[in-house]
Amino acid sequence: MTIAIVSQIFGSTLLAQTPEPAPLPEMQPTPTPVLPVKKPRVTQGSKWGLCGRKQSASQRSSGFTGDTTGTYIRDIQVHLHRNTYSTVTLNWANENLSIETLPIQFNASPGAGNCTLDCRSIPQSQKPSSHCTPQSPPTYLVQGYNCALGKYPEAKFVTWFHWDREIAFHAYTVPPYPASHGCIRLLTKNRGAEWIYDNSLAGITQININWDELDLKSKNPSPKCWSGDRLIDRPKQKPR
């Protein structure tokens, strides 16, 4: 609205105009602060590294961001068999963010166990120094990484999930039966250990380990076992 003021100056009438008051600025909403995504804490072992590879030679997914906003391995299901290959199944999160085809399953070899034990028993599998791969429950978590096992430098791309017993996924030779000291071996040339090493998140990626139901019903445990530091044919059980 224009306000008119009439004034008499030297016999002439002037129409003075005063400008309209400026409108009050609109109140802008206070922006919600964006909290940074908390990266998982590496609890054991070392931080992830290239382990002598070029960045382009790693198996890290193109959608991997180092936290749960990107592509990562959500959980790993380990299916144990006594007289053939065990299997390691990778379940991915946010796989649509990756441009490559992500692997799902690899053959593996778990712990053979001491000759005095049967690794199919959950309590026996969880005993220290049993040389069994510990079963679930509980659900395990990735705890950290190393480029190789200290005692066995040929066992590479180590992803720890039971640090107290020094048990991990790693690359190595994989026979079609349990043969390790408790770790889960994945065949080096198939690069399964690298996929886990490069795409899991410490403190977040979950691991469940269970025996096949048919193998649980069998009277016979795995064909090999540890006698001291030697992997031998399991002694035949004496009839009761």
Side-chain angles (χ1 to χ4, degrees):
M1 177 184 295
T2 301
I3 302 174
I5 301 175
V6 179
S7 60
Q8 189 74 25
I9 303 177
F10 301 111
S12 64
T13 301
L14 297 178
L15 184 64
Q17 294 183 342
T18 59
E20 294 182 356
L24 294 175
E26 294 183 4
M27 296 296 293
Q28 298 295 326
T30 303
T32 303
V34 178
L35 299 177
V37 177
K38 185 177 180 181
K39 292 187 176 182
R41 181 172 64 90
V42 177
T43 56
Q44 303 291 354
S46 302
K47 292 183 178 180
W48 177 90
L50 286 170
C51 300
R53 303 170 296 174
K54 294 182 179 180
Q55 183 71 46
S56 59
S58 80
Q59 296 300 102
R60 179 153 281 183
S61 162
S62 59
F64 187 86
T65 60
D67 54 46
T68 56
T69 64
T71 303
Y72 70 99
I73 299 172
R74 182 182 63 248
D75 63 84
I76 303 171
Q77 304 297 321
V78 182
H79 205 56
L80 303 179
H81 292 280
R82 63 182 182 84
N83 205 20
T84 187
Y85 292 109
S86 296
T87 58
V88 172
T89 302
L90 311 182
N91 292 315
W92 296 83
N94 306 321
E95 60 266 35
N96 59 306
L97 301 178
S98 296
I99 61 174
E100 64 276 300
T101 301
L102 301 173
I104 301 298
Q105 193 171 88
F106 294 97
N107 289 338
S109 176
N114 295 329
C115 292
T116 57
L117 300 176
D118 187 342
C119 291
R120 296 174 298 176
S121 161
I122 292 178
Q124 291 189 35
S125 76
Q126 295 174 348
K127 286 184 177 181
S129 304
S130 67
H131 292 334
C132 296
T133 298
Q135 293 185 63
S136 300
T139 295
Y140 302 97
L141 292 175
V142 167
Q143 293 179 299
Y145 310 93
N146 279 109
C147 289
L149 290 179
K151 296 179 181 178
Y152 305 96
E154 65 275 20
K156 299 182 182 300
F157 304 108
V158 179
T159 302
W160 299 104
F161 65 89
H162 200 312
W163 178 262
D164 292 342
R165 284 183 52 193
E166 298 184 358
I167 293 179
F169 296 99
H170 63 74
Y172 205 69
T173 56
V174 176
Y177 49 81
S180 80
H181 290 89
C183 288
I184 298 175
R185 299 179 181 178
L186 295 112
L187 191 61
T188 301
K189 69 177 183 179
N190 290 346
R191 307 188 74 177
E194 290 184 68
W195 278 102
I196 295 173
Y197 176 87
D198 289 337
N199 295 282
S200 60
L201 294 177
I204 293 178
T205 299
Q206 299 181 345
I207 300 146
N208 287 289
I209 304 170
N210 295 285
W211 276 87
D212 177 78
E213 290 187 7
L214 291 178
D215 285 303
L216 286 175
K217 294 177 181 178
S218 173
K219 295 180 180 180
N220 301 315
S222 57
K224 302 282 186 179
C225 60
W226 288 99
S227 176
D229 59 355
R230 295 185 304 122
L231 185 67
I232 65 171
D233 292 333
R234 185 177 292 274
K236 293 183 178 180
Q237 295 179 335
K238 296 180 180 180
R240 295 180 179 179

